[in-house]
Short mmCIF file of all heavy atoms in Angstrom, two decimals:
data_model
loop_
_atom_site.label_atom_id
_atom_site.label_comp_id
_atom_site.label_asym_id
_atom_site.label_seq_id
_atom_site.Cartn_x
_atom_site.Cartn_y
_atom_site.Cartn_z
N HIS A 22 -154.43 -49.50 -0.20
CA HIS A 22 -154.86 -50.87 -0.48
C HIS A 22 -154.85 -51.72 0.79
O HIS A 22 -154.12 -51.42 1.73
CB HIS A 22 -153.93 -51.52 -1.53
CG HIS A 22 -153.87 -50.73 -2.78
ND1 HIS A 22 -152.68 -50.29 -3.34
CD2 HIS A 22 -154.85 -50.25 -3.57
CE1 HIS A 22 -152.95 -49.60 -4.41
NE2 HIS A 22 -154.25 -49.54 -4.57
N GLN A 46 -145.86 -70.52 10.84
CA GLN A 46 -147.15 -70.34 10.17
C GLN A 46 -147.29 -68.89 9.75
O GLN A 46 -146.98 -67.99 10.51
CB GLN A 46 -148.25 -70.66 11.19
CG GLN A 46 -148.40 -72.12 11.44
CD GLN A 46 -149.73 -72.59 10.89
OE1 GLN A 46 -150.71 -71.90 10.99
NE2 GLN A 46 -149.75 -73.76 10.30
N ARG A 47 -147.74 -68.68 8.53
CA ARG A 47 -147.89 -67.31 8.06
C ARG A 47 -149.37 -66.96 7.97
O ARG A 47 -150.20 -67.81 7.71
CB ARG A 47 -147.23 -67.15 6.69
CG ARG A 47 -145.72 -67.24 6.77
CD ARG A 47 -145.12 -67.41 5.42
NE ARG A 47 -145.54 -68.66 4.81
CZ ARG A 47 -145.68 -68.83 3.51
NH1 ARG A 47 -145.48 -67.83 2.69
NH2 ARG A 47 -146.05 -70.00 3.03
N PRO A 49 -152.75 -65.30 6.32
CA PRO A 49 -153.17 -65.21 4.92
C PRO A 49 -152.61 -63.97 4.24
O PRO A 49 -152.22 -64.02 3.09
CB PRO A 49 -154.69 -65.17 5.01
CG PRO A 49 -155.01 -65.92 6.27
CD PRO A 49 -153.88 -65.61 7.19
N MET A 52 -149.11 -64.46 3.30
CA MET A 52 -149.03 -65.39 2.17
C MET A 52 -149.37 -64.70 0.87
O MET A 52 -148.75 -64.93 -0.15
CB MET A 52 -149.99 -66.56 2.38
CG MET A 52 -149.54 -67.47 3.50
SD MET A 52 -150.80 -68.67 3.84
CE MET A 52 -151.07 -69.36 2.25
N LEU A 53 -150.38 -63.81 0.92
CA LEU A 53 -150.78 -63.12 -0.28
C LEU A 53 -149.62 -62.28 -0.80
O LEU A 53 -149.29 -62.32 -1.98
CB LEU A 53 -152.00 -62.25 -0.01
CG LEU A 53 -152.74 -61.73 -1.23
CD1 LEU A 53 -153.18 -62.88 -2.12
CD2 LEU A 53 -153.96 -60.92 -0.81
N THR A 56 -146.95 -64.69 -2.25
CA THR A 56 -147.27 -65.31 -3.53
C THR A 56 -147.35 -64.27 -4.62
O THR A 56 -147.00 -64.53 -5.75
CB THR A 56 -148.58 -66.11 -3.46
OG1 THR A 56 -149.55 -65.33 -2.82
CG2 THR A 56 -148.39 -67.42 -2.74
N ARG A 57 -147.79 -63.04 -4.29
CA ARG A 57 -147.81 -61.98 -5.29
C ARG A 57 -146.41 -61.75 -5.83
O ARG A 57 -146.21 -61.61 -7.01
CB ARG A 57 -148.32 -60.67 -4.69
CG ARG A 57 -149.80 -60.62 -4.49
CD ARG A 57 -150.50 -59.78 -5.55
NE ARG A 57 -151.86 -60.24 -5.78
CZ ARG A 57 -152.90 -59.93 -4.99
NH1 ARG A 57 -152.73 -59.15 -3.97
NH2 ARG A 57 -154.08 -60.38 -5.26
N LEU A 60 -145.34 -64.41 -8.04
CA LEU A 60 -146.03 -64.35 -9.33
C LEU A 60 -145.19 -63.58 -10.33
O LEU A 60 -145.14 -63.90 -11.51
CB LEU A 60 -147.38 -63.67 -9.13
CG LEU A 60 -148.25 -63.40 -10.34
CD1 LEU A 60 -148.67 -64.70 -10.98
CD2 LEU A 60 -149.48 -62.61 -9.94
N ARG A 63 -141.33 -66.28 -11.35
CA ARG A 63 -141.60 -67.60 -10.83
C ARG A 63 -140.33 -68.44 -10.79
O ARG A 63 -140.17 -69.41 -11.50
CB ARG A 63 -142.66 -68.28 -11.68
CG ARG A 63 -143.54 -69.02 -10.74
CD ARG A 63 -144.49 -69.96 -11.29
NE ARG A 63 -145.63 -70.08 -10.39
CZ ARG A 63 -145.53 -70.45 -9.12
NH1 ARG A 63 -144.37 -70.75 -8.60
NH2 ARG A 63 -146.59 -70.53 -8.37
N ARG A 69 -147.18 -76.64 -6.62
CA ARG A 69 -147.31 -77.91 -5.89
C ARG A 69 -146.63 -77.81 -4.52
O ARG A 69 -147.20 -78.19 -3.51
CB ARG A 69 -146.71 -79.05 -6.73
CG ARG A 69 -146.64 -80.40 -6.06
CD ARG A 69 -147.99 -80.95 -5.60
NE ARG A 69 -149.00 -80.93 -6.64
CZ ARG A 69 -150.30 -80.67 -6.42
NH1 ARG A 69 -150.75 -80.43 -5.19
NH2 ARG A 69 -151.15 -80.65 -7.41
N GLU A 71 -146.10 -75.16 -2.82
CA GLU A 71 -146.85 -74.24 -1.97
C GLU A 71 -148.09 -74.93 -1.39
O GLU A 71 -148.40 -74.76 -0.21
CB GLU A 71 -147.23 -72.98 -2.75
CG GLU A 71 -146.02 -72.14 -3.09
CD GLU A 71 -146.35 -70.89 -3.88
OE1 GLU A 71 -147.54 -70.58 -4.06
OE2 GLU A 71 -145.40 -70.24 -4.33
N ILE A 75 -148.99 -75.77 2.56
CA ILE A 75 -150.23 -75.36 3.23
C ILE A 75 -150.93 -76.58 3.86
O ILE A 75 -151.37 -76.55 5.00
CB ILE A 75 -151.18 -74.65 2.24
CG1 ILE A 75 -150.58 -73.30 1.82
CG2 ILE A 75 -152.56 -74.45 2.86
CD1 ILE A 75 -151.26 -72.68 0.63
N GLN A 82 -153.41 -87.54 4.38
CA GLN A 82 -154.77 -87.91 4.73
C GLN A 82 -155.78 -87.41 3.69
O GLN A 82 -156.69 -88.12 3.28
CB GLN A 82 -155.06 -87.29 6.10
CG GLN A 82 -156.29 -87.78 6.78
CD GLN A 82 -156.34 -87.20 8.20
OE1 GLN A 82 -155.30 -86.99 8.82
NE2 GLN A 82 -157.53 -86.94 8.69
N ILE A 83 -155.58 -86.18 3.25
CA ILE A 83 -156.54 -85.57 2.32
C ILE A 83 -156.45 -86.20 0.93
O ILE A 83 -157.45 -86.42 0.25
CB ILE A 83 -156.30 -84.04 2.24
CG1 ILE A 83 -156.81 -83.38 3.53
CG2 ILE A 83 -157.00 -83.42 1.04
CD1 ILE A 83 -156.40 -81.93 3.69
N GLN A 84 -155.23 -86.48 0.52
CA GLN A 84 -155.06 -86.94 -0.86
C GLN A 84 -155.04 -88.47 -1.01
O GLN A 84 -154.92 -88.97 -2.12
CB GLN A 84 -153.78 -86.31 -1.45
CG GLN A 84 -153.93 -84.79 -1.62
CD GLN A 84 -152.65 -84.09 -2.00
OE1 GLN A 84 -151.58 -84.70 -1.99
NE2 GLN A 84 -152.75 -82.81 -2.33
N SER A 85 -155.21 -89.18 0.11
CA SER A 85 -155.16 -90.64 0.02
C SER A 85 -156.52 -91.19 -0.43
O SER A 85 -157.50 -90.46 -0.52
CB SER A 85 -154.80 -91.22 1.39
OG SER A 85 -155.85 -90.92 2.28
N LEU A 88 -159.32 -92.12 -6.31
CA LEU A 88 -159.32 -90.83 -7.00
C LEU A 88 -160.72 -90.23 -6.99
O LEU A 88 -161.71 -90.93 -7.19
CB LEU A 88 -158.90 -91.04 -8.45
CG LEU A 88 -157.44 -90.81 -8.80
CD1 LEU A 88 -157.26 -90.84 -10.30
CD2 LEU A 88 -156.97 -89.47 -8.24
N LEU A 89 -160.77 -88.96 -6.77
CA LEU A 89 -162.07 -88.27 -6.82
C LEU A 89 -162.59 -88.26 -8.25
O LEU A 89 -161.84 -88.04 -9.19
CB LEU A 89 -161.88 -86.82 -6.35
CG LEU A 89 -161.80 -86.59 -4.85
CD1 LEU A 89 -161.29 -85.19 -4.59
CD2 LEU A 89 -163.17 -86.79 -4.23
N TYR A 94 -167.29 -84.77 -6.87
CA TYR A 94 -167.35 -83.31 -6.73
C TYR A 94 -168.80 -82.85 -6.63
O TYR A 94 -169.13 -81.97 -5.83
CB TYR A 94 -166.66 -82.61 -7.91
CG TYR A 94 -165.14 -82.58 -7.80
CD1 TYR A 94 -164.35 -82.72 -8.92
CD2 TYR A 94 -164.52 -82.39 -6.57
CE1 TYR A 94 -162.96 -82.69 -8.83
CE2 TYR A 94 -163.14 -82.35 -6.46
CZ TYR A 94 -162.35 -82.50 -7.60
OH TYR A 94 -161.00 -82.46 -7.50
N ARG A 96 -171.33 -84.57 -5.50
CA ARG A 96 -171.82 -84.99 -4.18
C ARG A 96 -171.33 -84.00 -3.11
O ARG A 96 -172.11 -83.53 -2.28
CB ARG A 96 -171.31 -86.41 -3.88
CG ARG A 96 -171.66 -86.91 -2.48
CD ARG A 96 -171.12 -88.31 -2.23
NE ARG A 96 -169.69 -88.46 -2.45
CZ ARG A 96 -168.73 -88.03 -1.62
NH1 ARG A 96 -169.05 -87.42 -0.50
NH2 ARG A 96 -167.45 -88.22 -1.90
N ARG A 98 -170.42 -80.96 -3.47
CA ARG A 98 -171.10 -79.67 -3.64
C ARG A 98 -172.48 -79.71 -2.99
O ARG A 98 -172.85 -78.81 -2.23
CB ARG A 98 -171.22 -79.39 -5.14
CG ARG A 98 -171.95 -78.12 -5.50
CD ARG A 98 -172.19 -78.10 -7.01
NE ARG A 98 -170.95 -78.23 -7.76
CZ ARG A 98 -170.43 -77.27 -8.51
NH1 ARG A 98 -171.04 -76.12 -8.60
NH2 ARG A 98 -169.32 -77.46 -9.17
N GLU A 100 -173.57 -81.79 -0.69
CA GLU A 100 -173.48 -81.93 0.76
C GLU A 100 -173.11 -80.60 1.41
O GLU A 100 -173.64 -80.25 2.47
CB GLU A 100 -172.42 -82.98 1.12
CG GLU A 100 -172.92 -84.40 0.85
CD GLU A 100 -171.84 -85.45 1.08
OE1 GLU A 100 -170.75 -85.09 1.59
OE2 GLU A 100 -172.08 -86.61 0.72
N LEU A 102 -173.68 -77.57 0.25
CA LEU A 102 -174.80 -76.63 0.20
C LEU A 102 -175.89 -77.04 1.20
O LEU A 102 -176.51 -76.20 1.84
CB LEU A 102 -175.38 -76.56 -1.22
CG LEU A 102 -174.47 -75.85 -2.22
CD1 LEU A 102 -175.02 -75.97 -3.64
CD2 LEU A 102 -174.29 -74.37 -1.85
N GLU A 104 -175.41 -78.65 3.98
CA GLU A 104 -174.94 -78.32 5.32
C GLU A 104 -175.11 -76.83 5.58
O GLU A 104 -175.52 -76.41 6.65
CB GLU A 104 -173.46 -78.72 5.43
CG GLU A 104 -172.84 -78.45 6.78
CD GLU A 104 -171.37 -78.86 6.80
OE1 GLU A 104 -171.04 -79.96 6.32
OE2 GLU A 104 -170.55 -78.07 7.28
N LYS A 105 -174.81 -76.03 4.54
CA LYS A 105 -174.85 -74.58 4.75
C LYS A 105 -176.28 -74.05 4.87
O LYS A 105 -176.56 -73.21 5.71
CB LYS A 105 -174.12 -73.86 3.62
CG LYS A 105 -174.09 -72.34 3.79
CD LYS A 105 -173.10 -71.69 2.86
CE LYS A 105 -173.24 -70.19 2.87
NZ LYS A 105 -173.07 -69.54 4.15
N LEU B 15 -159.72 -77.44 -8.02
CA LEU B 15 -159.97 -78.49 -7.03
C LEU B 15 -159.04 -79.68 -7.26
O LEU B 15 -158.50 -80.25 -6.30
CB LEU B 15 -161.44 -78.94 -7.10
CG LEU B 15 -162.43 -77.97 -6.46
CD1 LEU B 15 -163.86 -78.37 -6.81
CD2 LEU B 15 -162.24 -77.90 -4.94
N ASP B 16 -158.84 -80.04 -8.51
CA ASP B 16 -157.91 -81.13 -8.80
C ASP B 16 -156.51 -80.80 -8.29
O ASP B 16 -155.80 -81.65 -7.75
CB ASP B 16 -157.84 -81.40 -10.31
CG ASP B 16 -158.99 -82.30 -10.76
OD1 ASP B 16 -159.82 -82.67 -9.91
OD2 ASP B 16 -159.05 -82.63 -11.97
N LEU B 17 -156.13 -79.55 -8.49
CA LEU B 17 -154.81 -79.12 -8.04
C LEU B 17 -154.65 -79.34 -6.53
O LEU B 17 -153.61 -79.77 -6.05
CB LEU B 17 -154.66 -77.64 -8.39
CG LEU B 17 -153.30 -76.98 -8.44
CD1 LEU B 17 -152.41 -77.67 -9.46
CD2 LEU B 17 -153.47 -75.52 -8.82
N TRP B 18 -155.71 -79.07 -5.80
CA TRP B 18 -155.63 -79.21 -4.35
C TRP B 18 -155.83 -80.65 -3.89
O TRP B 18 -155.19 -81.10 -2.95
CB TRP B 18 -156.72 -78.35 -3.68
CG TRP B 18 -156.56 -76.87 -3.86
CD1 TRP B 18 -155.43 -76.22 -4.26
CD2 TRP B 18 -157.55 -75.87 -3.64
NE1 TRP B 18 -155.65 -74.86 -4.32
CE2 TRP B 18 -156.96 -74.62 -3.94
CE3 TRP B 18 -158.88 -75.89 -3.24
CZ2 TRP B 18 -157.64 -73.41 -3.83
CZ3 TRP B 18 -159.56 -74.69 -3.12
CH2 TRP B 18 -158.95 -73.46 -3.42
N LYS B 20 -156.33 -83.65 -6.06
CA LYS B 20 -155.94 -84.78 -6.91
C LYS B 20 -154.63 -84.48 -7.63
O LYS B 20 -154.62 -84.27 -8.84
CB LYS B 20 -157.03 -85.01 -7.98
CG LYS B 20 -158.25 -85.73 -7.50
CD LYS B 20 -159.37 -85.62 -8.53
CE LYS B 20 -159.13 -86.51 -9.73
NZ LYS B 20 -160.30 -86.47 -10.66
N PRO B 21 -153.54 -84.43 -6.89
CA PRO B 21 -152.28 -84.03 -7.53
C PRO B 21 -151.92 -84.89 -8.74
O PRO B 21 -151.36 -84.38 -9.70
CB PRO B 21 -151.24 -84.17 -6.42
CG PRO B 21 -151.94 -84.63 -5.21
CD PRO B 21 -153.39 -84.73 -5.47
N GLU B 22 -152.32 -86.17 -8.69
CA GLU B 22 -151.96 -87.07 -9.82
C GLU B 22 -152.55 -86.56 -11.13
O GLU B 22 -152.01 -86.79 -12.20
CB GLU B 22 -152.50 -88.50 -9.61
CG GLU B 22 -152.23 -89.12 -8.26
CD GLU B 22 -153.21 -88.62 -7.19
OE1 GLU B 22 -154.16 -87.88 -7.51
OE2 GLU B 22 -152.98 -88.95 -6.03
N SER B 24 -153.16 -83.43 -11.99
CA SER B 24 -153.05 -82.00 -12.25
C SER B 24 -151.65 -81.57 -12.68
O SER B 24 -151.27 -80.42 -12.49
CB SER B 24 -153.50 -81.20 -11.02
OG SER B 24 -152.82 -81.65 -9.89
N GLU B 28 -150.23 -77.75 -13.07
CA GLU B 28 -149.00 -77.29 -12.39
C GLU B 28 -148.06 -76.63 -13.39
O GLU B 28 -147.46 -75.59 -13.12
CB GLU B 28 -148.28 -78.47 -11.73
CG GLU B 28 -148.95 -78.96 -10.48
CD GLU B 28 -148.32 -80.25 -9.95
OE1 GLU B 28 -147.12 -80.48 -10.19
OE2 GLU B 28 -149.03 -81.03 -9.31
N PHE B 31 -149.13 -73.16 -14.35
CA PHE B 31 -148.72 -72.18 -13.33
C PHE B 31 -147.23 -71.89 -13.45
O PHE B 31 -146.79 -70.75 -13.31
CB PHE B 31 -149.06 -72.68 -11.92
CG PHE B 31 -150.45 -72.35 -11.48
CD1 PHE B 31 -151.50 -73.23 -11.73
CD2 PHE B 31 -150.73 -71.15 -10.84
CE1 PHE B 31 -152.79 -72.93 -11.33
CE2 PHE B 31 -152.02 -70.84 -10.44
CZ PHE B 31 -153.06 -71.74 -10.69
N PHE B 53 -166.58 -74.09 -0.53
CA PHE B 53 -167.55 -75.09 -0.06
C PHE B 53 -167.02 -76.51 -0.24
O PHE B 53 -167.03 -77.33 0.67
CB PHE B 53 -168.83 -75.04 -0.90
CG PHE B 53 -169.80 -73.97 -0.51
CD1 PHE B 53 -170.83 -73.63 -1.38
CD2 PHE B 53 -169.71 -73.32 0.70
CE1 PHE B 53 -171.74 -72.66 -1.05
CE2 PHE B 53 -170.62 -72.34 1.03
CZ PHE B 53 -171.64 -72.01 0.16
N ARG B 57 -165.75 -79.18 2.58
CA ARG B 57 -166.52 -80.42 2.72
C ARG B 57 -165.60 -81.64 2.61
O ARG B 57 -165.67 -82.58 3.38
CB ARG B 57 -167.58 -80.43 1.61
CG ARG B 57 -168.53 -81.56 1.63
CD ARG B 57 -169.48 -81.49 2.82
NE ARG B 57 -169.64 -82.83 3.36
CZ ARG B 57 -169.94 -83.10 4.63
NH1 ARG B 57 -170.10 -82.12 5.50
NH2 ARG B 57 -170.06 -84.33 5.02
N ARG B 58 -164.71 -81.59 1.63
CA ARG B 58 -163.80 -82.71 1.41
C ARG B 58 -162.83 -82.88 2.58
O ARG B 58 -162.54 -83.98 3.02
CB ARG B 58 -163.03 -82.49 0.10
CG ARG B 58 -162.03 -83.58 -0.25
CD ARG B 58 -162.73 -84.91 -0.50
NE ARG B 58 -161.82 -85.93 -0.99
CZ ARG B 58 -162.13 -87.21 -1.13
NH1 ARG B 58 -163.34 -87.63 -0.79
NH2 ARG B 58 -161.27 -88.07 -1.60
N LYS B 60 -163.30 -82.09 5.63
CA LYS B 60 -164.03 -82.67 6.77
C LYS B 60 -164.23 -84.17 6.55
O LYS B 60 -164.05 -84.98 7.46
CB LYS B 60 -165.39 -81.99 6.94
CG LYS B 60 -165.29 -80.59 7.54
CD LYS B 60 -166.69 -80.05 7.78
CE LYS B 60 -166.67 -78.65 8.36
NZ LYS B 60 -168.01 -78.04 8.30
N GLU B 61 -164.62 -84.50 5.33
CA GLU B 61 -164.85 -85.90 4.99
C GLU B 61 -163.60 -86.73 5.22
O GLU B 61 -163.64 -87.90 5.55
CB GLU B 61 -165.28 -85.97 3.52
CG GLU B 61 -165.65 -87.31 2.99
CD GLU B 61 -166.16 -87.17 1.56
OE1 GLU B 61 -167.36 -86.88 1.39
OE2 GLU B 61 -165.38 -87.32 0.61
N LYS B 62 -162.44 -86.08 5.02
CA LYS B 62 -161.16 -86.78 5.17
C LYS B 62 -160.64 -86.68 6.60
O LYS B 62 -159.46 -86.94 6.85
CB LYS B 62 -160.14 -86.20 4.20
CG LYS B 62 -160.34 -86.68 2.77
CD LYS B 62 -159.99 -88.15 2.68
CE LYS B 62 -159.93 -88.69 1.27
NZ LYS B 62 -159.46 -90.08 1.26
N LEU B 73 -157.65 -74.38 6.35
CA LEU B 73 -156.89 -74.92 5.21
C LEU B 73 -157.40 -74.33 3.90
O LEU B 73 -156.62 -73.89 3.05
CB LEU B 73 -157.04 -76.44 5.14
CG LEU B 73 -156.11 -77.31 5.96
CD1 LEU B 73 -156.28 -78.78 5.55
CD2 LEU B 73 -154.65 -76.90 5.74
N ARG B 76 -156.35 -70.77 3.42
CA ARG B 76 -154.94 -70.64 3.01
C ARG B 76 -154.76 -70.98 1.53
O ARG B 76 -154.01 -70.34 0.82
CB ARG B 76 -154.05 -71.51 3.87
CG ARG B 76 -153.88 -70.93 5.24
CD ARG B 76 -153.23 -71.86 6.23
NE ARG B 76 -153.06 -71.13 7.46
CZ ARG B 76 -152.04 -70.31 7.71
NH1 ARG B 76 -151.07 -70.18 6.85
NH2 ARG B 76 -151.98 -69.63 8.83
N VAL B 79 -156.27 -68.09 -0.55
CA VAL B 79 -155.40 -66.91 -0.51
C VAL B 79 -154.16 -67.14 -1.38
O VAL B 79 -153.72 -66.28 -2.13
CB VAL B 79 -155.02 -66.56 0.94
CG1 VAL B 79 -153.89 -65.54 0.98
CG2 VAL B 79 -156.23 -66.01 1.68
N ASN B 80 -153.63 -68.34 -1.29
CA ASN B 80 -152.48 -68.69 -2.12
C ASN B 80 -152.84 -68.57 -3.60
O ASN B 80 -152.12 -67.97 -4.40
CB ASN B 80 -152.02 -70.11 -1.78
CG ASN B 80 -150.94 -70.60 -2.72
OD1 ASN B 80 -151.23 -71.24 -3.73
ND2 ASN B 80 -149.68 -70.29 -2.41
N LEU B 82 -155.18 -66.73 -4.92
CA LEU B 82 -155.42 -65.33 -5.29
C LEU B 82 -154.12 -64.55 -5.46
O LEU B 82 -154.10 -63.49 -6.07
CB LEU B 82 -156.32 -64.64 -4.26
CG LEU B 82 -157.74 -65.20 -4.17
CD1 LEU B 82 -158.57 -64.43 -3.17
CD2 LEU B 82 -158.42 -65.19 -5.54
N GLY B 83 -153.05 -65.09 -4.91
CA GLY B 83 -151.76 -64.47 -5.14
C GLY B 83 -151.17 -64.85 -6.49
O GLY B 83 -150.21 -64.25 -6.94
N GLN B 84 -151.72 -65.87 -7.12
CA GLN B 84 -151.13 -66.38 -8.36
C GLN B 84 -151.95 -66.06 -9.59
O GLN B 84 -151.48 -66.21 -10.70
CB GLN B 84 -151.01 -67.91 -8.30
CG GLN B 84 -150.65 -68.44 -6.97
CD GLN B 84 -149.29 -69.10 -6.97
OE1 GLN B 84 -148.64 -69.16 -8.00
NE2 GLN B 84 -148.88 -69.59 -5.85
N GLU B 106 -173.87 -71.51 -13.26
CA GLU B 106 -172.56 -71.26 -12.66
C GLU B 106 -171.47 -71.20 -13.74
O GLU B 106 -170.63 -70.29 -13.74
CB GLU B 106 -172.25 -72.35 -11.64
CG GLU B 106 -171.05 -72.03 -10.79
CD GLU B 106 -170.78 -73.15 -9.78
OE1 GLU B 106 -171.71 -73.61 -9.13
OE2 GLU B 106 -169.62 -73.55 -9.66
N ARG B 178 -161.02 -51.47 -9.85
CA ARG B 178 -160.99 -51.00 -8.47
C ARG B 178 -161.06 -49.47 -8.43
O ARG B 178 -161.86 -48.89 -7.68
CB ARG B 178 -159.68 -51.47 -7.80
CG ARG B 178 -159.48 -50.98 -6.37
CD ARG B 178 -158.02 -51.13 -5.94
NE ARG B 178 -157.15 -50.28 -6.74
CZ ARG B 178 -155.86 -50.52 -6.97
NH1 ARG B 178 -155.28 -51.58 -6.47
NH2 ARG B 178 -155.14 -49.70 -7.72
#
Side-chain angles (χ1 to χ4, degrees):
Chain A
H22 304 126
Q46 285 248 321
R47 291 166 297 149
M52 290 173 54
L53 194 57
T56 46
R57 284 256 152 80
L60 175 65
R63 219 191 207 302
R69 174 59 51 216
E71 292 180 7
I75 292 166
Q82 192 173 327
I83 286 169
Q84 292 172 352
S85 65
L88 264 189
L89 280 166
Y94 281 143
R96 175 181 54 77
R98 177 189 304 247
E100 286 175 8
L102 289 173
E104 181 180 315
K105 181 166 171 59
Chain B
L15 284 169
D16 277 2
L17 198 59
W18 294 344
K20 282 167 74 175
E22 311 80 6
S24 52
E28 285 172 28
F31 274 90
F53 278 165
R57 184 70 221 153
R58 179 64 173 171
K60 285 185 181 167
E61 184 175 275
K62 283 290 189 175
L73 274 190
R76 286 169 177 277
V79 168
N80 173 267
L82 295 182
Q84 323 245 0
E106 190 180 314
R178 177 197 64 206

